[in-house]
Amino acid sequence: MIIRWWRAVAGSEEVLRQYADHLERTTFVEMAELPGHLGASLAVKVKGEDQELVVMSLWSDLASAGHFEKGAFDDAVVKPSTQKLLKSFDLKVAYFETVVATGKLADSP
């Protein structure tokens, strides 16, 4: 299983709510239709006044994770409307190959 990892910073809780809503309504729906998609999540770490975000998606293999590829394999795909919303964001994503897992993750291909 491949973990695709991306980080960003929202400047406020309101921006966090807007971004979470955007993910639920569009990005996560679009991802769910792609072959090899196993799930996705948005997590937040409160750091002062900013909200540090991590978007993690799970894929059956590296080829499936590459559905997002527009340029280089590790280029982040960040829509212009999302760029305007967030305070900052990573231009690159990181991919991790799962070595061992437990629970439901262990049952994924």
Side-chain angles (χ1 to χ4, degrees):
M1 178 175 53
I2 301 297
I3 299 168
R4 185 177 188 272
W5 182 276
W6 178 76
R7 291 183 25 188
V9 175
S12 68
E13 286 189 38
E14 176 59 27
V15 171
L16 170 62
R17 283 192 295 276
Q18 290 176 17
Y19 184 59
D21 182 60
H22 162 75
L23 286 178
E24 284 186 311
R25 287 184 301 102
T26 60
T27 307
F28 284 2
V29 172
E30 293 167 5
M31 274 189 209
E33 296 174 359
L34 296 172
H37 181 259
L38 302 174
S41 65
L42 168 66
V44 61
K45 176 181 177 183
V46 177
K47 252 177 106 168
E49 294 181 19
D50 293 335
Q51 309 286 323
E52 183 178 348
L53 312 174
V54 173
V55 178
M56 182 178 70
S57 56
L58 306 174
W59 302 88
S60 59
D61 53 44
L62 203 53
S64 296
H67 288 300
F68 285 95
E69 190 172 350
K70 301 288 184 206
F73 188 70
D74 62 348
D75 282 351
V77 178
V78 187
K79 296 177 182 177
S81 58
T82 301
Q83 291 179 20
K84 292 177 187 175
L85 185 65
L86 297 171
K87 185 173 182 177
S88 66
F89 54 89
D90 289 351
L91 298 175
K92 299 289 185 179
V93 298
Y95 292 91
F96 299 88
E97 186 172 6
T98 304
V99 178
V100 295
T102 187
K104 293 185 186 255
L105 290 178
D107 296 336
S108 298

